[in-house]
Amino acid sequence: MAFGTVYGSVKSPRVGMVLSTAALLGLPVENASNTLPGSFPKGLAEKFPIQKIPVFVGADGICLWQSIAIASFFASYDPLGIVGGATALAKAEVLMWACFFNQEFYDAVIPWVAGRMRSIPYDPKTEEKAKKNTFSIFAVLERQVKDKEFLVGEDPTIADAAAVASLYFVLSSVMTKDELAKFPEIQRYYINAYPKLKFDQLCGPLQLLSEPVPIPKAPPSPILTCDEL
Ligand SMILES: N[C@@H](CCC(=O)N[C@@H](CS)C(=O)NCC(=O)O)C(=O)O
C-alpha cells in the first residue's frame, strides 16, 4: 500500500529532493507529477491554498508542504537515523545544505534555466548575470564536496538529495558538460551521487548536455510558466 502521494514534477528540484529522499528510504510514495503550481485540483487546493509544489498527502490523510519539512518527515522513518543526520550536528548540517539548495542555489540558477526553457522572456543581460551567479554558487559547492562522497558524513542524506536534484535541474537543462568540467569535484560528486540518490530510477540514466540549449526564438510559452519550475 502506498505511503502517500507527492504532488509535483520530479524536474522541479524541490520535488526531486523529496522523491529522492523517499526512494532512498524505500518508502512506497506515489508521484502525481502533473500537478502544477497555482492550478491544483479543487480538493487539493482546499488542503494547500498556497498551491506551491511539492505537497504531500499521506495514506492516513496527513497533509504537509514545504519540501524540507516533507523530506524530514520521510527521514523519521529511517531505522538507522542517518538520512536526516545521525547526530545533532549532522542534523543541523543536513538542514543547512538543504536550505542552501532551496534558496541561494535556486535563486542563482533560476533566471538562466527559466530564460532558456521559455518560462520567462529571454534577456541576454539577465542570463549573463544568472550564469555569473551560478558559477559563483558552483564555486562554493566545489569547495564543499572536495574529496567527499557525500555532503554530510559517510552516507547519503537529505542534503545530497537536495544537491543532486538541484544539479540535475541545471545540468539537464542549460549547463553543458564542458562548463561542468570547470568544476571537477562537483562533476565527480554528481556522477557518483546520481544513482546513489536514486535519480536513475526517478529521471533515467545520467546525461550531460554537449551543446548549450539554443536561445529561444518564441516568446514565453503559456504552458511552461515560471511557476511550473
Ligand atoms: N519553500 C517552498 C518553496 C516551494 C516553491 O516555491 N515551489 C515552486 C516550484 S519549485 C512553486 O511552486 N512555485 C510557484 C509559486 O511560487 O507560485 C518549498 O521548499 O517547498
Side-chain angles (χ1 to χ4, degrees):
M1 185 188 156
F3 179 74
T5 302
V6 170
Y7 293 80
S9 164
V10 71
K11 291 180 190 161
S12 159
R14 288 149 173 157
V15 179
M17 183 272 275
V18 161
L19 290 173
S20 165
T21 303
L24 196 56
L25 291 160
L27 294 176
V29 162
E30 286 176 355
N31 179 215
S33 61
N34 55 1
T35 308
L36 301 178
S39 305
F40 284 17
K42 190 164 174 280
L44 199 64
E46 276 163 11
K47 292 183 172 77
F48 302 101
I50 293 184
Q51 299 195 40
K52 289 189 174 191
I53 56 167
V55 297
F56 172 72
V57 180
D60 55 0
I62 61 155
C63 293
L64 288 173
W65 64 293
Q66 293 290 354
S67 53
I68 298 172
I70 300 169
S72 299
F73 176 68
F74 289 176
S76 70
Y77 286 83
D78 178 9
L80 302 174
I82 290 172
V83 167
T87 63
L89 177 60
K91 279 186 176 55
E93 288 178 343
V94 165
L95 286 177
M96 177 177 80
W97 287 107
C99 290
F100 164 80
F101 288 105
N102 195 298
Q103 183 164 0
E104 284 84 0
F105 188 100
Y106 187 85
D107 290 351
V109 305
I110 189 67
W112 184 13
V113 177
R116 287 278 170 162
M117 304 314 285
R118 292 205 300 131
S119 305
I120 57 170
Y122 175 79
D123 171 57
K125 284 212 171 96
T126 304
E127 177 172 289
E128 195 186 325
K129 189 167 170 229
K131 276 184 90 164
K132 200 167 157 244
N133 290 341
T134 299
F135 290 131
S136 299
I137 216 86
F138 267 60
V140 172
L141 188 59
E142 177 77 358
R143 283 199 302 277
Q144 178 61 25
V145 296
K146 185 167 167 33
D147 301 329
K148 280 189 183 165
E149 189 175 4
F150 300 112
L151 275 166
V152 180
E154 305 303 317
D155 297 287
T157 66
I158 292 170
D160 300 294
V164 178
S166 300
L167 289 168
Y168 174 78
F169 185 55
V170 181
L171 294 168
S172 65
S173 61
V174 293
M175 187 187 276
T176 64
K177 59 180 168 196
D178 289 348
E179 288 168 325
L180 175 64
K182 293 178 186 150
F183 302 94
E185 294 290 339
I186 296 179
Q187 181 178 262
R188 175 197 51 74
Y189 167 84
Y190 182 64
I191 291 169
N192 176 62
Y194 186 93
K196 294 196 172 154
L197 273 293
K198 313 293 181 197
F199 275 83
D200 47 353
Q201 290 171 27
L202 295 169
C203 300
L206 186 150
Q207 289 180 326
L208 295 170
L209 300 176
S210 302
E211 296 292 330
V213 177
I215 292 170
K217 290 195 179 78
S221 157
I223 299 166
L224 281 173
T225 66
C226 192
D227 288 354
E228 289 165 39
L229 302 169

